[in-house]
Amino acid sequence: ADSWITVTSPASGAGNGSVSYAVTANPGGTARTGTLTIGRRAVVITQQPANQPPVVSFVSPQSGRSPVLDLMALYDDPNGTDDLRTLRINVNSSPALAGGCALAFDTTADTVQIAGDDGAWQPPVSWLEISTLANSQCRVLDGWAFYGMLAVTVAFNPRAAGEKKIYASAQD
């Protein structure tokens, strides 16, 4: 057997019966195939890779101070875009949710949330209600998410002036 496949029982035997085996986690990003020989028969075992986390591949702009910002982010998931569950984007002077304009897009439920001034997520709304989202820093004007792409337009309260960075993240 390949080194990542271990026969757990029985260690030996003859005739009819069953064989149990265990595999170690697949650390690679692709499926791997190994062979276990039982009697004179080769049994091929294919193991899928462990779930790989999504990554943010593009954010535009990287920062801004305009009263209205058109934001775009692209998210990649080695397990496929169907594996993406939550896409987040945050416009703030730091990665903190409090005091900024943080949005979370749930691709499974087709809902959007905004973080309140204290950083706590507010109740989700449907995509059709996206323009109702606001806190004291910003108001969402429009937005959409589709297959790992996120675009959102936000207007900032004049009191929230100053240079802001754009932070993005995603979860499976």
Side-chain angles (χ1 to χ4, degrees):
D2 289 78
S3 62
W4 54 275
I5 305 170
T6 305
V7 175
T8 56
S9 70
S12 64
N16 293 334
S18 61
V19 174
S20 297
Y21 67 93
V23 296
T24 61
N26 182 351
T30 59
R32 64 182 176 182
T33 303
T35 305
L36 179 63
T37 303
I38 302 172
R40 289 177 280 185
R41 292 186 185 239
V43 177
V44 176
I45 299 169
T46 301
Q47 183 187 38
Q48 296 302 316
N51 187 31
Q52 302 291 314
V55 295
V56 178
S57 58
F58 176 79
V59 176
S60 177
Q62 298 284 319
S63 63
R65 62 178 338 125
S66 175
V68 175
L69 282 177
D70 291 315
L71 307 170
M72 176 173 268
L74 300 178
Y75 303 84
D76 289 323
D77 192 318
N79 307 306
T81 55
D82 288 344
D83 197 43
L84 288 169
R85 175 160 169 88
T86 306
L87 311 178
R88 291 192 180 104
I89 197 157
N90 182 13
V91 183
N92 204 346
S93 57
S94 76
L97 300 179
C101 185
L103 301 166
F105 299 80
D106 185 322
T107 62
T108 305
D110 285 332
T111 58
V112 187
Q113 291 176 277
I114 190 168
D117 295 328
D118 61 357
W121 290 108
Q122 302 304 301
V125 300
S126 76
W127 283 101
L128 297 175
E129 302 170 292
I130 193 168
S131 62
T132 65
L133 295 175
N135 63 23
S136 70
Q137 303 295 311
C138 70
R139 180 171 49 94
V140 180
L141 301 178
D142 195 14
W144 56 267
F146 185 73
Y147 288 109
M149 296 180 285
L150 170 65
V152 63
T153 302
V154 293
F156 291 91
N157 184 324
R159 292 176 292 149
E163 186 75 13
K164 307 279 191 240
K165 293 182 181 174
I166 316 309
Y167 301 92
S169 63
Q171 286 182 308
D172 286 338

